[in-house]
Amino acid sequence: MTTVLIGVDWGSSNLRAFRFNPQGEVLETRHAAHGVTRFPAGEATAAMLAGLHDWLDACPGVPMLLCGMAGSKLGWREAPYLPAPADLATLSRGLVRFEAEQRQVAIIPGVSSFEDCAGFRDVMRGEETQALGLSAPVPLLIAPGTHSKWIRLEGARISGLHTAMTGELYAILRQHSLIAGVTSDGPWDAAAFHDGLNNARSHPDWLTQLFGVRARGVQAEMPPSSLAAWLSGLLIGYELVQGLARYPDLQQVAIVASAPLSDHYASALASRGIESQLIDGDQAVMRGLWRVAKEAQLV
Amino acid sequence: MTTVLIGVDWGSSNLRAFRFNPQGEVLETRHAAHGVTRFPAGEATAAMLAGLHDWLDACPGVPMLLCGMAGSKLGWREAPYLPAPADLATLSRGLVRFEAEQRQVAIIPGVSSFEDCAGFRDVMRGEETQALGLSAPVPLLIAPGTHSKWIRLEGARISGLHTAMTGELYAILRQHSLIAGVTSDGPWDAAAFHDGLNNARSHPDWLTQLFGVRARGVQAEMPPSSLAAWLSGLLIGYELVQGLARYPDLQQVAIVASAPLSDHYASALASRGIESQLIDGDQAVMRGLWRVAKEAQLV
C-alpha cells in the first residue's frame, strides 16, 4: 500500500487528513479536533504535525498538500488569497511551496472576491478545494456553517463568492443573548422551522424579528425547542432571501455540510422551489486535494 | 420638606428613585445598580427595599409608585401588559395596587402592541412612563439601548411600539463573535459611523455585511476602534431603515438616552433629514410617575 500524498484539510476547528495511493484512492482517513484555533499562537503547526507523526514516520519523503486555515496567519505559512475567478490551474500555480519535515509541503491559497453588491473583499479558505472536488458541475455550491459560503461556479471555475454569518449569529444568540433563556435544544420542529423561514420572507425588519423571538418565548407562544427551530428558520430564511437576490434564476444548487444542517438547507431551498444535491464534504475535499496535487505535479 | 410620594423606576439593570414634595418637585434622587436581574430569584424585592430603607423609615405611610421591571415576573408583583392604545387614564386605571411596608404600593403596567407589520405582540416596561412624562407632544419617542424602543404617540396617547434588538446585538457581537477580535474601544470615529450608516441603507444583505466587519478587520482596512464605530453605524443604520419604513413622513422625533448614545442617534437621524429633541430620562420618568400618581389619586 504505497502512500504518494498526505492531504490535509486543516480548518479553524477541525483537521481531516488523507493518505492517497498512486491511483488517488484514499488508504486511510483521520479526523481530529486539531483546528488552528485550538492551540496557543505559534503552537498549532507543531501540534498538527504531532497528531500525524505516525503517518509522517511511515511515509518518509512523501509530499504534503494542505488547504483551509493552514494558509492563514494562524496556520503553517500564510498563503495570500487569490482573487476570483480561479480554477484548478490558477490555484495550483498559486500554491505556497516549501520544504519541511524532510518533504515537499504545499498549501492551497484561499480565494477572495470583491463583488460590488457586497462592498468589501469577501474571502474563503478550504471551500475552494471542495469546489474543485465536485464530481459534476453546478452553478452554485453552498457550504453552510459558522460562516456560510455561497460559491458561484462556471464549469470548474470559481467565479465569485459571498459569505453570510448565519451559523455564528445563531450560536451567539442561543448562548449569549436574552434569547438564550427562551430557547432550548430538543426534538426538531420542522413546522416551526418553516414558519421562521416564511417569517424572514415576509418581514424585512430583522432587528425587530430577533426581539420577537424573545417576546414569543416570554409570552409562551411556542415551546423552547420549537422556538430554537423557529430562530434557525428565521436566520436561514434571511440568508436565502439575501443570497437568492443574487441568483434570481437559480434552479439547482449543491450543498456541502453534514446532516442535519444539510437537510435543513435542502428543505429551506425546496420551499423556494430549488432542488439541492447533497455533497459529502470528505469526498469533495479529498478529490479537490488530489486534483490539485496532480495539476501541480506533486504526485 | 414633606415627602408625599416615593417614585421608583426599577429596571433590569438599574434603579432610579425619587422623593416628591406636594408640588411634585423632587426633593432627592437616588441611582443604584439594583436592577431586578442583579439578584437571585425571589430576592430582588427585599434587596430593592433594603436599598431604600432610610427613605422608607423617614417617610412612614407615604405611598410608593413603581414602573419598569418592578411589574415583571422577576420584580415585585406581576403587572400584565396593557394593550396599546394607552394613555394616562388607562395606565392609572391599570395600576397593580397592594399594601406592603405599611403603605400603599402601586405598579404601573407595561404596554404591548400587536402591529401587523411585525407579526408578534411587542412589549415594553418603563418606557411608557417616560412617554407619559414628555413635556410637549411628539409623534415618536425613541428610547435606544439594549432593546431599542420606538414609541408611536398621538398627543399624550401611546398608540403603538416596536422594538429593535440593536444594542444587545452590538454587545454580543463585540464580546462573543469573531468580530470581537477586529474591534476595540477607542476614540469615536464619526466618519466610520456614518459610513456604516450609509452601508446599511445601500446593502440589505445584513448577514453578509456582518461578515464584512470581520473581513475588513482581517484585511486591516480600518483600525479596530474605527471598525467598532462602523459596526455601530451599520446596526443603527439598519434600525433606522426598518423603523423609518413605518414612519415614511417623519420629520421630528424625541430621543431619551444618555450621551453619547443619544448623540449618535441624533446624528444618524439628522443624516436622514430628521430633527431630534433630546429628552432627559430622569426628568421624563419623574414627570411620568408624578402624573400617574396624581391621576390615580395616590397623592
Side-chain angles (χ1 to χ4, degrees):
Chain A
M1 295 290 221
T2 320
T3 297
V4 298
L5 178 73
I6 296 173
V8 184
D9 175 12
W10 193 23
S12 291
S13 310
N14 296 297
L15 173 147
R16 297 187 285 193
F18 311 96
R19 284 172 56 199
F20 293 89
N21 74 8
Q23 287 73 49
E25 294 158 357
V26 168
L27 302 169
E28 199 181 345
T29 297
R30 181 168 294 173
H31 283 202
H34 288 170
V36 299
T37 62
R38 308 263 194 184
F39 302 95
E43 295 176 25
T45 300
M48 179 272 291
L49 290 169
L52 295 174
H53 78 96
D54 53 335
W55 286 14
L56 298 173
D57 291 349
C59 310
V62 166
M64 275 184 91
L65 177 64
L66 301 96
C67 69
M69 298 301 280
S72 74
K73 280 195 179 73
L74 299 174
W76 197 343
R77 198 165 289 201
E78 197 170 355
Y81 295 105
L82 291 186
D87 61 11
L88 189 57
T90 327
L91 285 160
S92 302
R93 275 199 308 274
L95 287 183
V96 171
R97 290 166 177 263
F98 53 101
E99 298 236 335
E101 307 288 310
Q102 289 96 49
R103 69 189 75 228
Q104 286 189 71
V105 177
I107 297 178
I108 303 177
V111 172
S112 71
S113 171
F114 186 90
E115 299 191 51
D116 289 338
C117 41
F120 66 95
R121 198 163 71 99
D122 208 332
V123 292
M124 63 179 171
R125 284 194 191 276
E127 293 86 357
E128 75 295 324
T129 305
Q130 293 181 324
L132 295 179
L134 292 176
S135 50
V138 288
L140 181 70
L141 175 66
I142 301 180
T146 306
H147 298 151
S148 197
K149 303 291 179 187
W150 289 48
I151 305 161
R152 188 194 298 260
L153 296 163
E154 287 168 16
R157 189 169 75 152
I158 296 165
S159 53
L161 73 119
H162 80 269
T163 307
M165 210 186 189
T166 320
E168 183 172 8
L169 192 62
Y170 179 78
I172 62 175
L173 287 169
R174 285 290 313 277
Q175 284 169 46
H176 300 293
S177 80
L178 280 175
I179 290 176
V182 298
T183 54
S184 71
D185 293 329
W188 183 248
D189 184 338
F193 176 73
H194 278 273
D195 195 52
L197 285 175
N198 289 333
N199 200 74
R201 285 185 78 174
S202 51
H203 291 96
D205 58 340
W206 61 274
L207 280 165
T208 296
Q209 295 306 317
L210 290 181
F211 182 75
V213 179
R214 173 157 175 83
R216 283 180 169 84
V218 169
Q219 294 162 39
E221 281 187 19
M222 218 181 261
S225 64
S226 296
L227 207 49
W230 194 89
L231 172 64
S232 173
L234 184 76
L235 295 178
I236 292 175
Y238 283 124
E239 180 182 333
L240 260 54
V241 166
Q242 293 164 31
L244 296 177
R246 298 175 184 221
Y247 296 91
D249 303 318
L250 199 68
Q251 295 187 314
Q252 207 186 10
V253 302
I255 301 173
V256 57
S258 309
L261 193 58
S262 55
D263 297 333
H264 298 164
Y265 271 76
S267 166
L269 285 157
S271 77
R272 302 290 298 260
I274 296 165
E275 202 182 312
S276 301
Q277 174 193 350
L278 301 189
I279 305 284
D280 182 275
D282 270 17
Q283 291 294 328
V285 81
M286 215 182 270
R287 269 196 301 266
L289 286 164
W290 182 254
R291 286 175 183 170
V292 171
K294 290 287 275 186
E295 176 79 16
Q297 298 183 327
L298 278 169
V299 291
Chain B
M1 296 287 224
T2 319
T3 297
V4 297
L5 177 73
I6 296 173
V8 184
D9 175 12
W10 193 22
S12 291
S13 309
N14 297 295
L15 173 148
R16 298 187 284 193
F18 311 97
R19 284 173 56 199
F20 293 90
N21 74 9
Q23 288 73 48
E25 293 159 355
V26 168
L27 301 170
E28 199 181 345
T29 297
R30 181 168 293 174
H31 283 202
H34 288 171
V36 297
T37 61
R38 308 264 194 183
F39 301 95
E43 294 175 25
T45 300
M48 179 273 292
L49 290 169
L52 295 175
H53 77 95
D54 53 333
W55 285 14
L56 298 173
D57 291 349
C59 310
V62 165
M64 276 183 92
L65 176 63
L66 301 96
C67 69
M69 297 302 280
S72 75
K73 280 195 179 72
L74 299 174
W76 198 342
R77 196 165 291 201
E78 197 170 354
Y81 295 105
L82 291 185
D87 60 10
L88 188 57
T90 326
L91 285 160
S92 302
R93 275 199 309 273
L95 287 184
V96 171
R97 291 166 176 263
F98 52 101
E99 298 237 334
E101 308 286 310
Q102 290 95 50
R103 70 190 74 227
Q104 286 188 70
V105 177
I107 298 177
I108 303 176
V111 171
S112 70
S113 171
F114 185 90
E115 298 192 50
D116 288 340
C117 40
F120 67 95
R121 196 162 73 100
D122 209 332
V123 292
M124 63 179 171
R125 285 195 190 277
E127 292 86 357
E128 75 296 323
T129 306
Q130 293 181 325
L132 295 178
L134 292 176
S135 51
V138 287
L140 180 71
L141 174 66
I142 301 181
T146 305
H147 297 152
S148 196
K149 303 291 179 187
W150 290 48
I151 304 162
R152 187 194 298 260
L153 297 163
E154 287 168 18
R157 190 169 74 152
I158 296 165
S159 53
L161 74 118
H162 81 268
T163 306
M165 210 186 189
T166 319
E168 182 173 10
L169 192 62
Y170 179 78
I172 63 174
L173 287 169
R174 286 289 313 277
Q175 285 169 45
H176 300 291
S177 80
L178 280 175
I179 291 176
V182 298
T183 54
S184 71
D185 294 330
W188 183 248
D189 184 339
F193 176 73
H194 278 274
D195 195 53
L197 285 175
N198 290 333
N199 200 75
R201 284 185 77 175
S202 51
H203 291 96
D205 58 339
W206 62 274
L207 281 165
T208 296
Q209 296 306 317
L210 289 181
F211 182 75
V213 179
R214 173 158 175 82
R216 283 180 169 84
V218 168
Q219 294 162 39
E221 281 186 21
M222 216 181 262
S225 63
S226 296
L227 208 49
W230 194 89
L231 172 64
S232 173
L234 184 76
L235 295 178
I236 292 174
Y238 283 124
E239 179 181 332
L240 261 54
V241 167
Q242 293 164 31
L244 295 177
R246 300 175 183 221
Y247 296 91
D249 303 319
L250 198 69
Q251 295 188 314
Q252 208 186 11
V253 302
I255 300 173
V256 56
S258 310
L261 193 58
S262 55
D263 297 332
H264 298 165
Y265 271 77
S267 167
L269 285 157
S271 76
R272 302 291 298 260
I274 297 165
E275 202 182 313
S276 301
Q277 175 193 349
L278 301 190
I279 304 284
D280 182 275
D282 270 17
Q283 291 294 328
V285 81
M286 212 181 269
R287 270 198 301 266
L289 286 165
W290 181 253
R291 285 176 184 171
V292 172
K294 289 287 275 186
E295 175 79 17
Q297 300 184 325
L298 276 170
V299 291

